[in-house]
Amino acid sequence: MNALDIELVSVSKSYASMAVVKDIDLAIPQGEFVSILGPSGCGKTTTLNMIAGFTAPSHGDIRIKGRSQVRVPPERRNIGLVFQNYALFPHMTVTENVAFGLKMKGVRRDEAETTVKSALRSVHLEGMGERYPRELSGGQQQRVALARAIAPRPSVLLLDEPLSNLDLKLREAMRIELKEIQQQLGMTFVYVTHDQEEAMAMSDRVVVMWQGAIAQEGQPAALYREPNSRFVADFIGKSNILSVTSAATKAAHLELAVGDDLILKAHKAELAGEIRYCSIRPESIAVLPPAAGGSGCANLLDATVRRVVNLGAAFEIDADLGSDVRLHVLLRATRASVPPKVGDAIRLGIDDADIQPLCA
Amino acid sequence: MNRLISILYWISLGTVLCFITLPLIVVVAASLSPTSAVTLQPWEWTGRWYADLWSSRWLDPFLASVKIATVVAAISGVLGLFAAYAVVYERIPGSDALMSCLLSPLSVPQIVKGVAIVLFLSMIGLQGFLGTPALIAAHVVLALPFVTRMVATSLANFDANLDRAAQILGAGKLQRIRLVVLPMIKPGVLSGVTFAFIISFNNIPLSVFLVRPGDSTLPITVINYLEYSLDPVLAAVNVASMAFILTVIFLFEKIGGFSAQLHGGSK
Ligand SMILES: Nc1ncnc2c1ncn2[C@@H]1O[C@H](COP(=O)(O)OP(=O)(O)OP(=O)(O)O)[C@@H](O)[C@H]1O
Ligand SMILES: [Mg+2]
């Protein structure tokens, strides 16, 4: 277990009487890439600003390398921050921007020069040092902001939606680069985003926030596989969320009653509360010919195709199971496959492990 | 339709330009007039009135005005910067009320201000201050709201994230002000200072109460001269001070306007 870089200990923040961040506990080990993921207004920026020191928490403690930071101003926290709008100094060249933090630290001039060069190299901006920020494209400005933040070698780098102003192609390229840079430097990254794909693609760990509290945290794959709430299941990837009217343990299975008279067999699970929903990922549902046999699926359900949308790499099928239950199914397009047509009768196969019971 | 609008646009632009520049052209023409009456005779001209400007009659008040305007620009620049900084950037308690207070001199007519200052000085027994010290103080009162307003506007447009960026990179407050805030608002400060200089240099309504014989500003000297005679030397004085003001504006523009955006002041 690595040493802890950042700890939030029951941190809360209220503005006037409005609670914006509610009792957050978080421990981030050295060198980890953590994403804080959540919809707009859930308190991500506020949390980041409390770590950076721009906002004081109303309650709780923030520790960096074990030391309480509550009375330490931002300029003495040794943290890097990449802003959503980059916040490059417009009156300084790229080199001056990147050198700023080193200058503040009192690094020797020749040493600073080497560091600036290597920072610019690591973001692929060699030879741009003499330009002014407004002479750069959005993507290049983004890289300068990153170089400026990493040049003084902070122990932790905070990033507030750094890619949200870039177009999709660039965003996807930058994801990979960011991850590579993080691994090269071995720096702790706290990455704020509302884009779940971004969080899934880069992070060692994702912290899902909702309405100022942590809804769930874990490795991306685990969150995707085992969301603990309707919100997380829906926010991370796409999911079919069904209301469960009653649940009963029968033999090897947990039997969930959904819709009017449909029973789904799920894995037995230890759940703290009453099961009220279940989540099924669209890509985990198999599309079979009508009246197809068992093949190991715990659930075989007859359905009628209501709608087929061609997404290129896949078909999205809207299947009606009767008794007021509809499922979205994602069918991967292969050369041989012929997608069902609207009105076709099909059979859906769902593995018991692919049905995730939820309490909230 | 578009054509009509474009024609109207050019006509109105031309009219406005004529309206603004024709009197100036007349003054220039008059300053070249060969006779001692102020006349317009474009086919005959002389430069002899300009030679008169080097006499101490005109040179002394000109230098006095330049000195006063320079000091006024410097003082109101510094004070306006501090005031705007406290009100807009630090948002000290009661900053809105303070801002209205700082801008309140704008609502008092200059004549009234002039009388008030003279009365005030004689009331506290400081008549000796009349002349340069009183002129400087009065001009600062007059110019300060303009400077404060201009600096406040550029501070309000300053992106607070830049300040935060500098802070998280380790810059303390003084370093942030020197390296980030000041370079960013420099154009606003410099245009405020230019304004203060011009306001002081051209002022009549306040100065008229505060000058002392032998310690007068250029505009007041012009007014006094005008009482006895109207000859082309006045036109020459005006042309010369116009040229001077334009030079000042040009210089400040060079220092602070466009080039500040390019190179800043952090070196
Ligand atoms: N200074 C403030 N005063 C009052 N309310 C604030 C303040 N700053 C933030 N809030 C409120 O706190 C909530 C969370 O804001 P925050 O900026 O942390 O959201 P966010 O998760 O970063 O959202 P986004 O994805 O849109 O950036 C919002 O409802 C916002 O209105
Ligand atoms: Mg935000």
Side-chain angles (χ1 to χ4, degrees):
Chain A
M1 184 72 188
N2 288 331
L4 289 182
D5 236 350
I6 304 178
E7 288 167 89
L8 305 189
V9 185
S10 50
V11 169
S12 304
K13 178 72 194 175
S14 315
Y15 286 111
S17 61
M18 192 177 66
V20 173
V21 170
K22 301 166 193 161
D23 201 24
I24 283 191
D25 280 293
L26 192 60
I28 302 172
Q30 159 70 40
E32 203 176 58
F33 195 128
V34 178
S35 289
I36 299 181
L37 172 66
S40 184
C42 73
K44 306 182 295 290
T45 299
T46 308
T47 306
L48 213 63
N49 280 338
M50 286 193 286
I51 300 176
F54 294 125
T55 309
S58 311
H59 294 288
D61 194 11
I62 291 169
R63 297 190 197 127
I64 297 177
K65 298 212 181 297
R67 292 233 300 278
S68 173
Q69 299 290 311
V70 173
R71 281 196 188 75
V72 181
E75 59 264 39
R76 286 202 268 113
R77 290 197 180 187
N78 194 25
I79 284 179
L81 177 54
V82 179
F83 292 81
Q84 182 171 357
N85 69 351
Y86 318 138
L88 297 175
F89 305 125
H91 59 294
M92 298 182 196
T93 61
V94 167
T95 301
E96 287 168 334
N97 264 283
V98 178
F100 191 88
L102 298 164
K103 198 162 133 193
M104 293 304 110
K105 272 189 152 182
V107 174
R108 279 216 329 276
R109 189 169 265 256
D110 51 336
E111 202 180 310
E113 230 166 77
T114 335
T115 314
V116 168
K117 282 227 177 77
S118 82
L120 285 179
R121 197 169 328 112
S122 65
V123 295
H124 309 297
L125 279 181
E126 302 103 320
M128 299 266 193
E130 294 316 305
R131 298 223 195 157
Y132 283 88
R134 67 194 150 70
E135 298 167 337
L136 301 175
S137 72
Q140 290 167 333
Q141 291 183 21
Q142 212 287 319
R143 285 155 199 263
V144 177
L146 184 63
R148 183 179 69 176
I150 59 176
R153 285 303 174 116
S155 61
V156 179
L157 189 66
L158 312 177
L159 305 100
D160 192 356
E161 312 210 18
L163 305 184
S164 61
N165 289 343
L166 306 180
D167 64 49
L168 184 65
K169 271 261 170 1
L170 199 52
R171 212 154 62 210
E172 288 176 347
M174 279 304 289
R175 274 180 209 168
I176 298 168
E177 260 180 55
L178 266 179
K179 180 74 189 169
E180 280 173 2
I181 289 172
Q182 188 260 342
Q183 281 169 340
Q184 270 169 25
L185 300 175
M187 209 179 265
T188 310
F189 272 36
V190 181
Y191 188 97
V192 159
T193 178
H194 62 252
D195 180 338
Q196 53 97 13
E197 267 185 42
E198 223 168 83
M200 303 290 277
M202 295 191 287
S203 321
D204 300 317
R205 187 150 57 110
V206 177
V207 177
V208 184
M209 269 185 85
W210 190 39
Q211 297 182 344
I214 294 180
Q216 191 175 0
E217 60 172 293
Q219 292 175 352
L223 281 186
Y224 191 79
R225 223 175 328 110
E226 289 166 22
N228 70 357
S229 65
R230 206 156 57 115
F231 171 76
V232 176
D234 202 34
F235 196 70
I236 296 196
K238 284 185 174 169
S239 201
N240 294 290
I241 310 258
L242 304 175
S243 285
V244 173
T245 47
S246 71
T249 312
K250 292 256 177 69
H253 286 119
L254 186 63
E255 296 202 338
L256 306 173
V258 298
D260 292 337
D261 56 357
L262 212 59
I263 299 288
L264 295 176
K265 295 193 189 104
H267 250 207
K268 265 200 251 184
E270 307 276 317
L271 281 168
E274 184 193 353
I275 296 169
R276 300 179 52 204
Y277 307 97
C278 67
S279 151
I280 308 167
R281 298 287 181 194
E283 71 278 8
S284 67
I285 303 173
V287 179
L288 309 167
S295 77
C297 267
N299 300 282
L300 287 174
L301 307 160
D302 290 317
T304 315
V305 176
R306 287 284 177 233
R307 200 160 53 93
V308 180
V309 180
N310 189 345
L311 301 176
F315 296 97
E316 191 187 62
I317 297 165
D318 194 353
D320 188 347
L321 281 72
S323 83
D324 214 17
V325 177
R326 278 182 167 221
L327 289 176
H328 283 284
V329 182
L330 208 60
L331 178 64
R332 255 184 38 162
T334 56
R335 240 164 228 282
S337 70
V338 182
K341 286 184 289 298
V342 173
D344 281 0
I346 50 171
R347 178 161 272 198
L348 301 178
I350 309 172
D351 208 22
D352 52 1
D354 288 328
I355 299 178
Q356 173 73 19
L358 304 168
C359 298
Chain B
M1 189 62 202
N2 270 341
R3 217 184 140 69
L4 185 67
I5 289 176
S6 139
I7 290 172
L8 281 177
Y9 167 78
W10 285 109
I11 290 177
S12 59
L13 183 68
T15 317
V16 169
L17 280 179
C18 286
F19 187 74
I20 293 173
T21 53
L22 273 182
L24 301 180
I25 292 171
V26 169
V27 172
V28 171
S31 75
L32 299 169
S33 155
T35 62
S36 66
V38 176
T39 53
L40 284 179
Q41 296 173 330
W43 47 91
E44 270 179 87
W45 60 274
T46 169
R48 77 178 157 110
W49 305 113
Y50 286 91
D52 280 5
L53 298 184
W54 297 105
S55 68
S56 75
R57 166 174 221 163
W58 297 113
L59 202 55
D60 287 353
F62 168 76
L63 291 178
S65 277
V66 171
K67 185 178 73 186
I68 291 171
T70 308
V71 176
V72 167
I75 293 179
S76 49
V78 171
L79 291 183
L81 182 60
F82 283 170
Y85 176 84
V87 169
V88 180
Y89 185 85
E90 294 289 347
R91 294 223 52 93
I92 56 169
S95 47
D96 288 334
L98 200 61
M99 193 58 169
S100 324
C101 193
L102 282 165
L103 300 184
S104 64
L106 287 176
S107 56
V108 183
Q110 291 194 39
I111 303 270
V112 176
K113 269 186 279 207
V115 173
I117 291 171
V118 172
L119 286 180
F120 175 74
L121 285 178
S122 59
M123 226 173 75
I124 59 172
L126 286 178
Q127 291 94 330
F129 271 106
L130 287 177
T132 306
L135 283 166
I136 289 175
H139 288 183
V140 167
V141 170
L142 183 65
L144 194 54
F146 290 97
V147 183
T148 310
R149 187 74 238 179
M150 284 190 185
V151 180
T153 306
S154 53
L155 264 177
N157 290 333
F158 173 75
D159 178 6
N161 273 339
L162 292 180
D163 195 52
R164 290 182 159 196
Q167 192 175 12
I168 203 77
L169 286 165
K173 182 157 249 171
L174 286 178
Q175 286 171 312
R176 300 203 301 275
I177 292 172
R178 189 166 59 86
L179 299 176
V180 180
V181 180
L182 280 182
M184 294 303 298
I185 63 167
K186 197 164 110 185
V189 176
L190 282 179
S191 48
V193 166
T194 315
F195 239 95
F197 188 94
I198 296 170
I199 286 173
S200 167
F201 189 84
N202 284 341
N203 187 268
I204 294 172
L206 265 181
S207 304
V208 84
F209 293 98
L210 304 168
V211 292
R212 254 193 338 203
D215 187 5
S216 182
T217 65
L218 188 60
I220 300 301
T221 310
V222 169
I223 292 278
N224 287 342
Y225 188 86
L226 198 54
E227 273 186 51
Y228 305 105
S229 47
L230 176 66
D231 63 41
V233 76
L234 282 181
V237 168
N238 279 317
V239 172
S241 57
M242 202 163 73
F244 174 70
I245 288 290
L246 286 176
T247 312
V248 168
I249 294 178
F250 177 77
L251 282 182
F252 273 101
E253 194 60 31
K254 260 280 183 258
I255 307 170
F258 182 63
S259 56
Q261 298 296 317
L262 259 180
H263 301 300
S266 62
K267 283 262 176 72

